Amino acid sequence: MKEQIQFVDEGVRDWISDEEFKNFQATAEAAKERLMKREGAGNDFLGWMDLPEQYDRDELRRIKEAARKIQNDSRVLLVIGIGGSYLGARAAIEFLHHSFYNSLSDDERTTPKIYFCGNSNSSKYLADLMDILGDQDFSINVISKSGTTTESAVAFRIFKKKLEEKYGKEEAAKRVYATTDRQRGALKKMADKEGYTCFVIPDDVGGRYSVLTAVGLLPIAVSGADVDALLEGAADMRRQVMEASYEENPSVRYAACRNILLRKGKAVEVLANYETSLHYVSEWWKQLYGESEGKNQRGLFPAAVDLTTDLHSMGQYMQDGARILIETVMNVEESPRTVEIPAEEEDLDGLNYLAHKTVDFVNKAAMEGTIAAHEEGGVPIMRIDLPRQDEYTLGQLFYFFWFACGVSGYIGAINPFDQPGVESYKRNMFAILGKPQK
């Protein structure tokens, strides 16, 4: 087995005693057993649990074939989706690739540029994207279970029109890849009528648990990332969290710590990263935990910060504000790239003491110093150590958070696999827009 991510909870031991953590074991293990036996609320949405090891191999082959076709005939892939329909793929692509992936020359980046849209109602963003697209050859991956989600459906209608104007209706249809329901829904109906290539969102996998289905795997594969290694990492983490004891189980320990601290009055969990390329991993995590646990007037509020950037803004609150926070730090142990700090003959900025050190050395020192300061300031801190930024590690991380979320939800006596509150704003918006009633 390759090097595993590690969950470190030493930074909460001033708030959770060994005896208290041990006494919580029965509660946490009962929640894990409910998840494993598929006996809890929402158990019809547990298809994600077995995905890494029981993935439809024919579907995976078709995803790879489609990715190669897009790589060969398109300079741009537009990924149209919102929430879980795009966050996982964007998190993976930014985690795994160059920080300026879309800006690299075609010689440096041999795969298509990838732009995400349909995740807001911003007309400026769509118009600006239309400018960037220009006359480049492009394909569309539209991702929606229903095909009627307003943000995504509007974007698809706009860019489908441009695709058909550029290539003609018949050729345009060959450049549309619809990831949708297996049998029903507006997008599935349209795809069958127009002849789009279709991939399946499994009935038993919700959007925020879908990155290891075609929802995430197609755009990730188009970027040139190794989707097999991504699935391998998830499969290894799956075996670990399903088999390990309470004391050795990273996901169950994480879930237990979160819930003990919630019961002690903590209200907000801040996920902190020290690499800008982890920003969208944090955004993906926010949706996962916000939609899963924010129910029945309970649950930790999931927030995220990019450090050290946000130390110059949110850092003051985290250090000295209301003591309602817990902090979870994602620590990349081995930076994928290094930059050395040069020496100056005249040390005007006073930085020669860092000459010939790497920027990552400074970043790690800032992380260690910040953790120490926040702990002294009264913030319980957990840490997730990621050996490196690669597909295998990211697959582990996705599954680690998924499994912990399921256990944590059941500890909190809620259904972590539905999202009834999301529909409220839609009803109001549709009334204001004058949408016809069925």
Short mmCIF file of all heavy atoms in Angstrom, two decimals, residues 65-118:
data_model
loop_
_atom_site.label_atom_id
_atom_site.label_comp_id
_atom_site.label_asym_id
_atom_site.label_seq_id
_atom_site.Cartn_x
_atom_site.Cartn_y
_atom_site.Cartn_z
N GLU A 65 -12.33 6.99 -23.39
CA GLU A 65 -12.44 7.17 -24.84
C GLU A 65 -12.96 8.57 -25.16
O GLU A 65 -12.45 9.25 -26.07
CB GLU A 65 -13.38 6.12 -25.43
CG GLU A 65 -12.79 4.72 -25.49
CD GLU A 65 -13.77 3.70 -26.03
OE1 GLU A 65 -14.95 4.07 -26.28
OE2 GLU A 65 -13.38 2.53 -26.21
N ALA A 66 -13.98 9.01 -24.44
CA ALA A 66 -14.53 10.35 -24.66
C ALA A 66 -13.48 11.41 -24.35
O ALA A 66 -13.36 12.41 -25.07
CB ALA A 66 -15.78 10.55 -23.81
N ALA A 67 -12.72 11.20 -23.27
CA ALA A 67 -11.68 12.16 -22.91
C ALA A 67 -10.64 12.28 -24.03
O ALA A 67 -10.21 13.39 -24.37
CB ALA A 67 -11.01 11.74 -21.60
N ARG A 68 -10.25 11.16 -24.61
CA ARG A 68 -9.27 11.20 -25.71
C ARG A 68 -9.84 11.92 -26.93
O ARG A 68 -9.13 12.69 -27.60
CB ARG A 68 -8.85 9.77 -26.08
CG ARG A 68 -7.89 9.14 -25.08
CD ARG A 68 -7.29 7.85 -25.62
NE ARG A 68 -8.28 6.80 -25.73
CZ ARG A 68 -8.56 5.92 -24.77
NH1 ARG A 68 -7.94 6.00 -23.60
NH2 ARG A 68 -9.44 4.96 -24.97
N LYS A 69 -11.12 11.71 -27.22
CA LYS A 69 -11.74 12.40 -28.35
C LYS A 69 -11.75 13.91 -28.12
O LYS A 69 -11.41 14.69 -29.03
CB LYS A 69 -13.17 11.90 -28.57
CG LYS A 69 -13.88 12.59 -29.74
CD LYS A 69 -15.29 12.05 -29.94
CE LYS A 69 -15.99 12.74 -31.12
NZ LYS A 69 -16.15 14.19 -30.94
N ILE A 70 -12.13 14.32 -26.93
CA ILE A 70 -12.16 15.75 -26.60
C ILE A 70 -10.75 16.33 -26.69
O ILE A 70 -10.54 17.43 -27.22
CB ILE A 70 -12.76 15.98 -25.20
CG1 ILE A 70 -14.24 15.56 -25.19
CG2 ILE A 70 -12.62 17.44 -24.78
CD1 ILE A 70 -14.84 15.45 -23.80
N GLN A 71 -9.76 15.61 -26.20
CA GLN A 71 -8.38 16.07 -26.27
C GLN A 71 -7.92 16.24 -27.72
O GLN A 71 -7.15 17.15 -28.03
CB GLN A 71 -7.46 15.07 -25.56
CG GLN A 71 -7.61 15.08 -24.04
CD GLN A 71 -6.91 13.90 -23.38
OE1 GLN A 71 -6.53 12.94 -24.03
NE2 GLN A 71 -6.74 13.96 -22.07
N ASN A 72 -8.43 15.38 -28.61
CA ASN A 72 -8.00 15.41 -30.01
C ASN A 72 -8.72 16.47 -30.85
O ASN A 72 -8.14 17.00 -31.81
CB ASN A 72 -8.21 14.04 -30.66
CG ASN A 72 -7.22 13.01 -30.15
OD1 ASN A 72 -6.11 13.35 -29.77
ND2 ASN A 72 -7.63 11.74 -30.14
N ASP A 73 -9.98 16.79 -30.52
CA ASP A 73 -10.72 17.67 -31.42
C ASP A 73 -11.10 19.03 -30.81
O ASP A 73 -11.74 19.85 -31.47
CB ASP A 73 -11.98 16.98 -31.95
CG ASP A 73 -13.06 16.71 -30.91
OD1 ASP A 73 -13.03 17.32 -29.82
OD2 ASP A 73 -13.95 15.89 -31.18
N SER A 74 -10.68 19.28 -29.56
CA SER A 74 -11.11 20.52 -28.90
C SER A 74 -9.94 21.21 -28.21
O SER A 74 -9.10 20.56 -27.58
CB SER A 74 -12.20 20.23 -27.85
OG SER A 74 -13.32 19.63 -28.46
N ARG A 75 -9.93 22.52 -28.32
CA ARG A 75 -8.96 23.31 -27.55
C ARG A 75 -9.54 23.74 -26.21
O ARG A 75 -8.79 24.15 -25.32
CB ARG A 75 -8.54 24.56 -28.34
CG ARG A 75 -7.74 24.24 -29.60
CD ARG A 75 -7.11 25.51 -30.17
NE ARG A 75 -6.11 26.06 -29.24
CZ ARG A 75 -5.66 27.31 -29.31
NH1 ARG A 75 -6.14 28.13 -30.24
NH2 ARG A 75 -4.75 27.74 -28.48
N VAL A 76 -10.88 23.64 -26.08
CA VAL A 76 -11.55 24.05 -24.85
C VAL A 76 -12.64 23.03 -24.52
O VAL A 76 -13.35 22.57 -25.41
CB VAL A 76 -12.20 25.45 -24.99
CG1 VAL A 76 -13.02 25.80 -23.76
CG2 VAL A 76 -11.13 26.51 -25.24
N LEU A 77 -12.75 22.70 -23.24
CA LEU A 77 -13.91 21.95 -22.74
C LEU A 77 -14.65 22.87 -21.77
O LEU A 77 -14.06 23.37 -20.81
CB LEU A 77 -13.48 20.68 -22.02
CG LEU A 77 -14.63 19.92 -21.32
CD1 LEU A 77 -15.62 19.36 -22.33
CD2 LEU A 77 -14.10 18.81 -20.41
N LEU A 78 -15.94 23.07 -22.04
CA LEU A 78 -16.80 23.78 -21.09
C LEU A 78 -17.50 22.76 -20.22
O LEU A 78 -18.20 21.88 -20.73
CB LEU A 78 -17.85 24.62 -21.83
CG LEU A 78 -17.36 25.75 -22.73
CD1 LEU A 78 -18.56 26.51 -23.30
CD2 LEU A 78 -16.45 26.70 -21.96
N VAL A 79 -17.31 22.86 -18.92
CA VAL A 79 -17.99 21.98 -17.97
C VAL A 79 -19.12 22.78 -17.35
O VAL A 79 -18.89 23.77 -16.65
CB VAL A 79 -17.03 21.47 -16.88
CG1 VAL A 79 -17.77 20.56 -15.90
CG2 VAL A 79 -15.86 20.72 -17.52
N ILE A 80 -20.35 22.36 -17.63
CA ILE A 80 -21.53 23.09 -17.19
C ILE A 80 -22.21 22.31 -16.08
O ILE A 80 -22.71 21.21 -16.28
CB ILE A 80 -22.51 23.31 -18.37
CG1 ILE A 80 -21.83 24.12 -19.48
CG2 ILE A 80 -23.78 24.01 -17.88
CD1 ILE A 80 -22.70 24.32 -20.71
N GLY A 81 -22.22 22.88 -14.88
CA GLY A 81 -22.85 22.23 -13.74
C GLY A 81 -22.70 23.10 -12.50
O GLY A 81 -21.90 24.04 -12.48
N ILE A 82 -23.45 22.77 -11.46
CA ILE A 82 -23.42 23.55 -10.24
C ILE A 82 -23.30 22.61 -9.05
O ILE A 82 -23.69 21.45 -9.12
CB ILE A 82 -24.67 24.45 -10.12
CG1 ILE A 82 -24.52 25.52 -9.02
CG2 ILE A 82 -25.93 23.62 -9.89
CD1 ILE A 82 -25.59 26.59 -9.02
N GLY A 83 -22.75 23.10 -7.94
CA GLY A 83 -22.63 22.29 -6.74
C GLY A 83 -21.77 21.06 -6.99
O GLY A 83 -20.67 21.14 -7.55
N GLY A 84 -22.28 19.91 -6.59
CA GLY A 84 -21.55 18.68 -6.76
C GLY A 84 -21.29 18.30 -8.20
O GLY A 84 -20.45 17.45 -8.49
N SER A 85 -21.99 18.96 -9.12
CA SER A 85 -21.80 18.67 -10.54
C SER A 85 -20.54 19.30 -11.11
O SER A 85 -20.20 19.06 -12.27
CB SER A 85 -23.03 19.12 -11.35
OG SER A 85 -24.16 18.36 -11.00
N TYR A 86 -19.87 20.16 -10.33
CA TYR A 86 -18.61 20.72 -10.83
C TYR A 86 -17.52 20.86 -9.78
O TYR A 86 -16.33 20.84 -10.10
CB TYR A 86 -18.87 22.08 -11.48
CG TYR A 86 -18.70 23.30 -10.59
CD1 TYR A 86 -17.55 24.08 -10.64
CD2 TYR A 86 -19.70 23.66 -9.69
CE1 TYR A 86 -17.39 25.19 -9.82
CE2 TYR A 86 -19.55 24.77 -8.87
CZ TYR A 86 -18.40 25.53 -8.95
OH TYR A 86 -18.24 26.63 -8.14
N LEU A 87 -17.88 20.96 -8.50
CA LEU A 87 -16.89 21.29 -7.48
C LEU A 87 -15.80 20.23 -7.36
O LEU A 87 -14.62 20.55 -7.20
CB LEU A 87 -17.57 21.50 -6.13
CG LEU A 87 -18.24 22.87 -5.93
CD1 LEU A 87 -19.08 22.87 -4.66
CD2 LEU A 87 -17.20 23.97 -5.89
N GLY A 88 -16.18 18.94 -7.42
CA GLY A 88 -15.19 17.88 -7.29
C GLY A 88 -14.18 17.91 -8.42
O GLY A 88 -12.97 17.80 -8.21
N ALA A 89 -14.68 18.06 -9.66
CA ALA A 89 -13.79 18.10 -10.81
C ALA A 89 -12.88 19.32 -10.74
O ALA A 89 -11.66 19.23 -11.01
CB ALA A 89 -14.60 18.12 -12.11
N ARG A 90 -13.43 20.47 -10.40
CA ARG A 90 -12.59 21.67 -10.32
C ARG A 90 -11.55 21.54 -9.21
O ARG A 90 -10.40 21.94 -9.38
CB ARG A 90 -13.47 22.90 -10.10
CG ARG A 90 -12.66 24.19 -10.16
CD ARG A 90 -13.50 25.40 -10.43
NE ARG A 90 -12.67 26.57 -10.70
CZ ARG A 90 -13.15 27.76 -11.04
NH1 ARG A 90 -14.46 27.95 -11.16
NH2 ARG A 90 -12.32 28.77 -11.28
N ALA A 91 -11.97 20.97 -8.07
CA ALA A 91 -11.02 20.75 -6.98
C ALA A 91 -9.87 19.87 -7.44
O ALA A 91 -8.69 20.16 -7.16
CB ALA A 91 -11.74 20.11 -5.79
N ALA A 92 -10.19 18.79 -8.15
CA ALA A 92 -9.16 17.86 -8.60
C ALA A 92 -8.22 18.50 -9.61
O ALA A 92 -6.99 18.36 -9.51
CB ALA A 92 -9.81 16.61 -9.19
N ILE A 93 -8.77 19.19 -10.59
CA ILE A 93 -7.95 19.77 -11.65
C ILE A 93 -7.01 20.84 -11.08
O ILE A 93 -5.83 20.90 -11.43
CB ILE A 93 -8.85 20.33 -12.76
CG1 ILE A 93 -9.51 19.17 -13.51
CG2 ILE A 93 -8.06 21.21 -13.74
CD1 ILE A 93 -10.65 19.56 -14.42
N GLU A 94 -7.50 21.65 -10.15
CA GLU A 94 -6.64 22.69 -9.57
C GLU A 94 -5.62 22.10 -8.59
O GLU A 94 -4.50 22.60 -8.46
CB GLU A 94 -7.49 23.77 -8.90
CG GLU A 94 -8.39 24.47 -9.90
CD GLU A 94 -8.78 25.89 -9.51
OE1 GLU A 94 -8.30 26.36 -8.46
OE2 GLU A 94 -9.55 26.51 -10.26
N PHE A 95 -5.98 21.01 -7.91
CA PHE A 95 -5.08 20.33 -6.99
C PHE A 95 -3.93 19.65 -7.74
O PHE A 95 -2.79 19.63 -7.27
CB PHE A 95 -5.88 19.29 -6.21
CG PHE A 95 -5.11 18.49 -5.18
CD1 PHE A 95 -4.99 18.93 -3.88
CD2 PHE A 95 -4.53 17.27 -5.51
CE1 PHE A 95 -4.30 18.19 -2.92
CE2 PHE A 95 -3.84 16.52 -4.57
CZ PHE A 95 -3.72 16.98 -3.27
N LEU A 96 -4.24 19.10 -8.92
CA LEU A 96 -3.30 18.24 -9.62
C LEU A 96 -2.45 18.94 -10.67
O LEU A 96 -1.39 18.41 -11.05
CB LEU A 96 -4.06 17.08 -10.30
CG LEU A 96 -4.78 16.12 -9.35
CD1 LEU A 96 -5.69 15.19 -10.14
CD2 LEU A 96 -3.79 15.33 -8.51
N HIS A 97 -2.88 20.10 -11.15
CA HIS A 97 -2.22 20.70 -12.30
C HIS A 97 -1.59 22.06 -11.98
O HIS A 97 -1.70 22.58 -10.87
CB HIS A 97 -3.21 20.83 -13.45
CG HIS A 97 -3.64 19.50 -14.01
ND1 HIS A 97 -2.78 18.62 -14.60
CD2 HIS A 97 -4.87 18.91 -14.06
CE1 HIS A 97 -3.44 17.54 -15.00
NE2 HIS A 97 -4.70 17.69 -14.67
N HIS A 98 -0.98 22.61 -12.99
CA HIS A 98 -0.34 23.93 -12.92
C HIS A 98 -1.34 24.97 -12.44
O HIS A 98 -2.52 24.95 -12.81
CB HIS A 98 0.17 24.29 -14.33
CG HIS A 98 1.15 25.41 -14.37
ND1 HIS A 98 0.79 26.73 -14.19
CD2 HIS A 98 2.50 25.41 -14.58
CE1 HIS A 98 1.86 27.49 -14.29
NE2 HIS A 98 2.92 26.72 -14.53
N SER A 99 -0.88 25.90 -11.61
CA SER A 99 -1.77 26.93 -11.07
C SER A 99 -2.40 27.79 -12.17
O SER A 99 -3.47 28.36 -11.97
CB SER A 99 -1.00 27.84 -10.09
OG SER A 99 -0.53 27.11 -8.99
N PHE A 100 -1.73 27.88 -13.31
CA PHE A 100 -2.23 28.68 -14.43
C PHE A 100 -2.46 27.76 -15.65
O PHE A 100 -2.09 28.08 -16.77
CB PHE A 100 -1.25 29.81 -14.74
CG PHE A 100 -1.01 30.70 -13.55
CD1 PHE A 100 0.09 30.50 -12.73
CD2 PHE A 100 -1.90 31.72 -13.23
CE1 PHE A 100 0.31 31.30 -11.61
CE2 PHE A 100 -1.69 32.52 -12.12
CZ PHE A 100 -0.59 32.32 -11.31
N TYR A 101 -3.10 26.65 -15.36
CA TYR A 101 -3.33 25.61 -16.36
C TYR A 101 -3.88 26.16 -17.67
O TYR A 101 -3.36 25.90 -18.76
CB TYR A 101 -4.30 24.57 -15.77
CG TYR A 101 -4.78 23.50 -16.72
CD1 TYR A 101 -4.08 22.31 -16.86
CD2 TYR A 101 -5.96 23.67 -17.46
CE1 TYR A 101 -4.53 21.31 -17.74
CE2 TYR A 101 -6.41 22.69 -18.32
CZ TYR A 101 -5.69 21.51 -18.46
OH TYR A 101 -6.13 20.54 -19.32
N ASN A 102 -4.93 26.96 -17.60
CA ASN A 102 -5.56 27.47 -18.82
C ASN A 102 -4.71 28.50 -19.55
O ASN A 102 -4.95 28.77 -20.73
CB ASN A 102 -6.94 28.08 -18.51
CG ASN A 102 -7.99 27.02 -18.27
OD1 ASN A 102 -7.90 25.90 -18.76
ND2 ASN A 102 -9.03 27.37 -17.51
N SER A 103 -3.73 29.07 -18.87
CA SER A 103 -2.90 30.11 -19.48
C SER A 103 -1.64 29.57 -20.13
O SER A 103 -0.94 30.31 -20.82
CB SER A 103 -2.52 31.17 -18.43
OG SER A 103 -3.67 31.80 -17.90
N LEU A 104 -1.33 28.31 -19.90
CA LEU A 104 -0.14 27.73 -20.51
C LEU A 104 -0.30 27.66 -22.03
O LEU A 104 -1.41 27.54 -22.55
CB LEU A 104 0.09 26.31 -19.97
CG LEU A 104 0.43 26.17 -18.49
CD1 LEU A 104 0.46 24.70 -18.10
CD2 LEU A 104 1.77 26.82 -18.19
N SER A 105 0.82 27.70 -22.73
CA SER A 105 0.78 27.56 -24.19
C SER A 105 0.39 26.13 -24.55
O SER A 105 0.47 25.22 -23.72
CB SER A 105 2.14 27.88 -24.79
OG SER A 105 3.07 26.87 -24.45
N ASP A 106 -0.03 25.93 -25.79
CA ASP A 106 -0.43 24.60 -26.23
C ASP A 106 0.74 23.62 -26.19
O ASP A 106 0.53 22.41 -26.09
CB ASP A 106 -1.01 24.66 -27.65
CG ASP A 106 -2.37 25.35 -27.67
OD1 ASP A 106 -2.98 25.49 -26.59
OD2 ASP A 106 -2.83 25.75 -28.76
N ASP A 107 1.96 24.13 -26.29
CA ASP A 107 3.14 23.26 -26.19
C ASP A 107 3.35 22.79 -24.75
O ASP A 107 3.74 21.65 -24.50
CB ASP A 107 4.40 23.98 -26.67
CG ASP A 107 4.38 24.22 -28.18
OD1 ASP A 107 3.71 23.44 -28.89
OD2 ASP A 107 5.02 25.18 -28.64
N GLU A 108 3.07 23.68 -23.81
CA GLU A 108 3.26 23.34 -22.39
C GLU A 108 2.08 22.54 -21.85
O GLU A 108 2.26 21.70 -20.98
CB GLU A 108 3.42 24.62 -21.57
CG GLU A 108 4.67 25.43 -21.92
CD GLU A 108 4.64 26.79 -21.27
OE1 GLU A 108 3.72 27.59 -21.54
OE2 GLU A 108 5.56 27.06 -20.48
N ARG A 109 0.89 22.82 -22.34
CA ARG A 109 -0.31 22.12 -21.90
C ARG A 109 -0.90 21.40 -23.12
O ARG A 109 -1.49 22.03 -23.99
CB ARG A 109 -1.33 23.12 -21.32
CG ARG A 109 -2.66 22.49 -20.95
CD ARG A 109 -3.72 23.53 -20.63
NE ARG A 109 -3.62 24.73 -21.44
CZ ARG A 109 -3.98 24.80 -22.72
NH1 ARG A 109 -4.47 23.75 -23.35
NH2 ARG A 109 -3.83 25.94 -23.38
N THR A 110 -0.75 20.11 -23.17
CA THR A 110 -1.16 19.34 -24.35
C THR A 110 -2.62 18.90 -24.29
O THR A 110 -3.11 18.24 -25.21
CB THR A 110 -0.28 18.09 -24.51
OG1 THR A 110 -0.37 17.30 -23.32
CG2 THR A 110 1.18 18.49 -24.74
N THR A 111 -3.31 19.25 -23.25
CA THR A 111 -4.73 18.93 -23.09
C THR A 111 -5.56 20.21 -23.20
O THR A 111 -5.02 21.32 -23.09
CB THR A 111 -4.97 18.25 -21.73
OG1 THR A 111 -4.38 19.04 -20.70
CG2 THR A 111 -4.35 16.85 -21.71
N PRO A 112 -6.87 20.09 -23.40
CA PRO A 112 -7.69 21.30 -23.60
C PRO A 112 -7.75 22.20 -22.37
O PRO A 112 -7.60 21.74 -21.23
CB PRO A 112 -9.08 20.72 -23.91
CG PRO A 112 -8.84 19.35 -24.41
CD PRO A 112 -7.64 18.86 -23.65
N LYS A 113 -7.95 23.48 -22.61
CA LYS A 113 -8.32 24.38 -21.53
C LYS A 113 -9.68 23.92 -20.99
O LYS A 113 -10.51 23.43 -21.75
CB LYS A 113 -8.44 25.82 -22.03
CG LYS A 113 -7.19 26.38 -22.67
CD LYS A 113 -7.48 27.72 -23.31
CE LYS A 113 -6.29 28.20 -24.15
NZ LYS A 113 -6.61 29.44 -24.88
N ILE A 114 -9.88 24.10 -19.69
CA ILE A 114 -11.15 23.67 -19.09
C ILE A 114 -11.73 24.85 -18.33
O ILE A 114 -11.09 25.39 -17.40
CB ILE A 114 -10.95 22.47 -18.15
CG1 ILE A 114 -10.38 21.27 -18.95
CG2 ILE A 114 -12.26 22.08 -17.48
CD1 ILE A 114 -10.03 20.08 -18.10
N TYR A 115 -12.92 25.27 -18.74
CA TYR A 115 -13.63 26.36 -18.08
C TYR A 115 -14.93 25.83 -17.49
O TYR A 115 -15.60 24.99 -18.10
CB TYR A 115 -13.92 27.51 -19.04
CG TYR A 115 -12.69 28.20 -19.56
CD1 TYR A 115 -12.24 27.98 -20.87
CD2 TYR A 115 -11.98 29.08 -18.76
CE1 TYR A 115 -11.10 28.63 -21.35
CE2 TYR A 115 -10.84 29.73 -19.23
CZ TYR A 115 -10.41 29.50 -20.53
OH TYR A 115 -9.28 30.13 -21.00
N PHE A 116 -15.29 26.35 -16.32
CA PHE A 116 -16.50 25.93 -15.64
C PHE A 116 -17.54 27.05 -15.70
O PHE A 116 -17.22 28.22 -15.49
CB PHE A 116 -16.19 25.59 -14.18
CG PHE A 116 -15.27 24.41 -14.03
CD1 PHE A 116 -13.90 24.57 -14.04
CD2 PHE A 116 -15.78 23.12 -13.90
CE1 PHE A 116 -13.04 23.49 -13.92
CE2 PHE A 116 -14.95 22.03 -13.77
CZ PHE A 116 -13.57 22.21 -13.79
N CYS A 117 -18.76 26.68 -16.00
CA CYS A 117 -19.85 27.66 -16.03
C CYS A 117 -21.14 26.95 -15.64
O CYS A 117 -21.16 25.75 -15.38
CB CYS A 117 -19.97 28.32 -17.40
SG CYS A 117 -20.35 27.21 -18.76
N GLY A 118 -22.23 27.73 -15.60
CA GLY A 118 -23.49 27.15 -15.15
C GLY A 118 -23.55 26.98 -13.65
O GLY A 118 -24.42 26.29 -13.13
#
